[in-house]
Amino acid sequence: MNYPLDTVVVEKLWAKQASNLPWYTPWEKVCDGSQEQIRWFVGGQLNASYACLDVHVKAGKGKKVAIYWQGEQGQRRKLTYGQLYAMVNRYAALLQQQGVKKGDVVVLYLPMIPEAVAMMLAVVRLGGVHAVVFSGFSAAALRERIVATGAKIIVTADVGYRRGKTLHLKPIVDQAAEATGIEKVLVIQRSQEAIQINQERDVIVSDCDDDEVYVEPEKVESSHPLFILYTSGTTGVPKGIMHGTGGYLTYVYSTIKWAFGINEESIYWCTADIGWITGHSYVTYGPLLHGASMVMVEGAPDYPTPDVWWKIIQDYRVSIFYTSPTALRMFMKQDEAQIAQHDFSCLKILGSVGEPINPEVWRWYDRVIGRQQCPVIDTWWQTETGGFMISPMANQERITLKPGSATLPLPGVIADVVDERGESVPANTKGFLVIKRPWPGMAIGIFGDQERFKEIYWSKFPGAYYSGDYARKDSDGYFWLLGRADEVLNIAGHRIGTAEIESAVLMHGAVAEVAAVPVADQVKGEQVVLFVTLKDGIVQSPHLIQEIMLVVRKEIGAFVTPREVFVVQQLPKTRSGKIMRRLLKAALNGNG
């Protein structure tokens, strides 16, 4: 199906979708501007916290479950919309007491707990801007993001839990906050362990269910920033991608409905972490806008037992399950007979996110988990797009699914595959994936650097958004994603730039040059391998290799730990001195 290019028709589509949200003040114009400067629903005012909570409570649905939460050791909590609403108001009042007001950035460094969702909604209730940082990042990476945002307040927890280990988050925050503008550290206490407190700076967050507090939601303009989320790119400096309020919420509301058919009766589980864009769009905002019940889980997918996820689906009667190919590849090693012992009759939709899903994994997912009764909704999108761009639609028999293909663009999205000149390529030809029409969920810029935003995304192909991904279209017009066209790795669904990794390695005094190269991994999709040259007089040793690996863990996080480090005499370079990573990559992947 080809969607109309006519501007009037597309604007009517988005106006109709935006009308599903509660606006304080109607918009005067659907969109204004062009390319990276476009703004959606101009003149309209709304509040994201109100749209996710107040509307449901006012409609008499306060007793409906908003979040089913399960901890790694099987601890369970259940929060109704009324309880989540009360928690958000209490947190908003606390943030107000710390001086947070409209436009202020608040950094959140939290594990997968309901309080993380509540804090996000509390920040935006005040008209603030949340900047969530994945709690797997190191103190150095967290500090870099604190400094970049200029935030004065950070919210964390004392601990998180994963694979039976206690992750002490507060000491990481203490280290990261040194020599920054942080004035207050709010700490959600989860354990009985003593917390080292800075009496002038730290605030322990107490959550008394008996406290009735109401904070009036701040009316914000549609283009007012909702959040900043840092993502890696082709430079060593992460990009602070900003999303506006009205356009983003409209797009997330629409796309989760189109792709998954979500409604108030859905029991929805997206396994993504709150620190990534999927955790923003399709853990927090998407399901809550629709008044659905969602499952939220802290911990590893195969701990404390290999079938913990299957028990969760069975016990909570999950109807929509959205996870990554990385997780699925890990589960494919399990005994299918043991998986089959679980009751998956509740499932109606299966989703895939984070990286292209190959046909073998797609078929396993369909057969073993879906029992060939659930459509597999493979979604292509990015941090910068805000929501799904290319995906099947659950409630329409518009297409036949093809294992491994994200299928066709969603309504209002005009995608194409082009060559270096920006011209459409023939069917089954590899090219660059571009989007030829602005959409409401698109990023409104890079925090503090609008010129960089234009250069990265809108300059390579004038008039089109450059995704940085390779793709091809088959003879039916279906899109097949073929990986990154730039220097970005996808490690277990987490995007990280090679430049950021290389910058970290060069902090080791023994390293002269380094090339970070992605290598295929059966479970994680990709891992990083380092090729380094040493400074004169430095002798290679196993201890040195370990030190280099530790630098990466310290400066970025354990999830980026290199698979291998090779010490070489010299790196292959072009005549102009640029390292030829493609030769190293080809050699590692057996193509050279």
Side-chain angles (χ1 to χ4, degrees):
M1 179 183 295
N2 293 317
Y3 292 103
L5 289 168
D6 183 82
T7 299
V8 174
V9 173
V10 172
E11 288 191 8
K12 284 183 177 179
L13 166 70
W14 294 126
K16 180 180 179 181
Q17 293 304 118
S19 66
N20 291 307
L21 302 181
W23 296 82
Y24 293 118
T25 305
W27 60 87
E28 300 166 359
K29 196 171 183 180
V30 174
C31 59
D32 189 36
S34 60
Q35 290 195 171
E36 82 283 358
Q37 298 295 333
I38 199 166
R39 294 296 178 263
W40 290 87
F41 312 114
V42 180
Q45 289 186 313
L46 73 170
N47 181 279
S49 180
Y50 182 92
C52 288
L53 296 175
D54 297 51
V55 290
H56 306 308
V57 173
K58 288 185 176 182
K61 300 170 185 175
K63 294 184 179 180
K64 175 181 171 54
V65 174
I67 300 175
Y68 293 102
W69 179 83
Q70 182 162 313
E72 190 173 71
Q73 300 301 325
Q75 314 97 313
R76 294 186 175 189
R77 294 168 60 190
K78 183 170 65 176
L79 273 75
T80 66
Y81 271 89
Q83 290 170 327
L84 182 59
Y85 169 80
M87 182 186 288
V88 168
N89 274 279
R90 289 192 294 272
Y91 286 173
L94 175 60
L95 291 168
Q96 267 187 335
Q97 293 169 12
Q98 310 309 317
V100 176
K101 58 186 183 303
K102 182 179 179 181
D104 288 347
V105 178
V106 179
V107 172
L108 307 182
Y109 185 72
L110 291 162
M112 283 294 287
I113 54 178
E115 288 80 0
V117 171
M119 276 295 179
M120 292 169 73
L121 295 175
V123 171
V124 300
R125 193 172 189 85
L126 301 175
V129 182
H130 59 70
V132 182
V133 178
F134 173 51
S135 60
F137 274 119
S138 68
L142 176 58
R143 181 190 297 114
E144 184 175 36
R145 287 152 176 80
I146 290 171
V147 172
T149 61
K152 297 180 180 180
I153 294 179
I154 182 169
V155 183
T156 190
D158 56 344
V159 298
Y161 301 99
R162 188 171 179 85
R163 294 194 184 280
K165 296 181 179 178
T166 300
L167 309 176
H168 292 89
L169 303 180
K170 176 61 162 53
I172 295 174
V173 170
D174 289 340
Q175 184 180 349
E178 293 178 4
T180 69
I182 291 295
E183 298 174 0
K184 292 292 181 181
V185 176
L186 277 56
V187 186
I188 297 168
Q189 186 166 7
R190 306 181 62 201
S191 74
Q192 299 302 313
E193 298 181 27
I195 305 175
Q196 186 171 348
I197 295 296
N198 179 327
Q199 295 293 342
E200 296 182 357
R201 185 197 65 184
D202 298 347
V203 177
I204 299 297
V205 178
S206 60
D207 189 35
C208 179
D209 291 340
D210 296 330
D211 291 345
E212 291 190 9
V213 179
Y214 174 74
V215 175
E216 183 73 25
E218 181 75 24
K219 299 175 182 178
V220 301
E221 303 78 13
S222 179
S223 59
H224 180 76
L226 183 68
F227 63 84
I228 303 168
L229 190 58
Y230 281 84
T231 184
S232 290
T234 55
T235 70
V237 181
K239 307 182 294 291
I241 300 299
M242 291 191 301
H243 280 281
T245 303
Y248 171 83
L249 292 179
T250 296
Y251 198 71
V252 169
Y253 178 96
S254 305
T255 50
I256 195 172
K257 182 69 172 180
W258 288 335
F260 295 149
I262 197 170
N263 57 45
E264 291 182 357
E265 304 305 315
S266 300
I267 307 295
Y268 168 87
W269 183 21
C270 173
T271 66
D273 190 277
I274 208 78
W276 307 103
I277 186 62
T278 308
H280 285 53
S281 298
Y282 300 115
V283 171
T284 300
Y285 292 107
L288 293 179
L289 285 170
H290 282 278
S293 298
M294 67 167 159
V295 175
M296 190 175 185
V297 177
E298 180 184 26
D302 58 349
Y303 186 92
T305 61
D307 65 343
V308 61
W309 274 20
W310 314 138
K311 290 180 179 177
I312 289 171
I313 291 174
Q314 175 181 277
D315 292 351
Y316 293 103
R317 307 302 294 164
V318 172
S319 58
I320 303 170
F321 180 56
Y322 190 35
T323 194
S324 70
T326 298
L328 298 176
R329 284 191 293 269
M330 181 184 70
F331 289 129
M332 287 174 68
K333 298 178 180 180
Q334 293 183 357
D335 183 350
E336 289 187 16
Q338 291 182 350
I339 297 175
Q341 293 175 6
H342 298 85
D343 180 8
F344 293 160
S345 61
C346 52
L347 286 171
K348 297 180 180 178
I349 299 289
L350 300 178
S352 173
V353 63
E355 57 190 291
I357 183 170
N358 61 301
E360 180 187 9
V361 177
W362 193 105
R363 292 189 182 97
W364 180 91
Y365 197 20
D366 174 48
R367 177 176 56 83
V368 177
I369 308 304
R371 313 282 164 88
Q372 295 185 316
Q373 301 297 312
C374 306
V376 177
I377 307 297
D378 180 23
T379 60
W380 176 82
W381 61 298
Q382 301 175 317
T383 301
E384 296 86 345
T385 73
F388 310 147
M389 301 295 283
I390 302 173
S391 165
M393 293 175 69
N395 291 341
Q396 292 187 17
E397 298 295 332
R398 65 175 183 139
I399 56 172
T400 300
L401 298 177
K402 295 184 181 183
S405 171
T407 68
L408 301 173
L410 288 171
V413 176
I414 310 301
D416 198 6
V417 180
V418 301
D419 60 19
E420 283 284 0
R421 299 186 300 274
E423 297 177 0
S424 299
V425 299
N428 294 310
T429 302
K430 181 179 178 180
F432 301 102
L433 178 59
V434 298
I435 308 298
K436 292 187 171 181
R437 175 180 292 282
W439 64 100
M442 59 188 279
I444 60 174
I446 292 176
F447 183 71
D449 198 343
Q450 203 65 13
E451 277 302 311
R452 187 182 177 201
F453 180 63
K454 180 179 180 179
E455 178 185 349
I456 293 173
Y457 302 107
W458 296 95
S459 63
K460 184 175 179 66
F461 302 109
Y465 166 83
Y466 171 53
S467 70
D469 277 350
Y470 284 127
R472 67 176 176 86
K473 284 198 294 183
D474 64 20
S475 57
D476 295 321
Y478 282 44
F479 284 77
W480 298 76
L481 278 299
L482 305 175
R484 295 294 295 176
D486 55 15
E487 300 296 333
V488 176
L489 285 80
N490 195 323
I491 302 174
H494 305 327
R495 284 175 58 190
I496 194 79
T498 55
E500 190 172 357
I501 299 170
E502 291 167 357
S503 295
V505 175
L506 289 171
M507 296 181 72
H508 193 290
V511 177
E513 289 184 308
V514 58
V517 180
V519 61
D521 183 270
Q522 285 190 345
V523 174
K524 294 185 177 182
E526 287 184 320
Q527 281 192 288
V528 65
V529 170
L530 301 178
F531 291 86
V532 301
T533 63
L534 303 177
K535 293 180 179 177
D536 290 344
I538 302 295
V539 179
Q540 178 184 349
S541 69
H543 179 69
L544 177 60
I545 298 299
Q546 287 300 314
E547 283 187 350
I548 293 172
M549 288 189 171
L550 286 173
V551 167
V552 177
R553 291 173 64 95
K554 178 183 176 183
E555 294 300 320
I556 303 177
F559 70 99
V560 194
T561 302
R563 190 166 83 176
E564 291 184 88
V565 178
F566 295 109
V567 176
V568 296
Q569 291 298 313
Q570 61 183 10
L571 295 171
K573 296 178 182 179
T574 64
R575 289 184 179 181
S576 63
K578 183 179 179 181
I579 297 173
M580 301 174 71
R581 292 175 181 81
R582 61 181 176 81
L583 295 182
L584 298 171
K585 182 177 179 180
L588 284 172
N589 287 299
N591 299 321

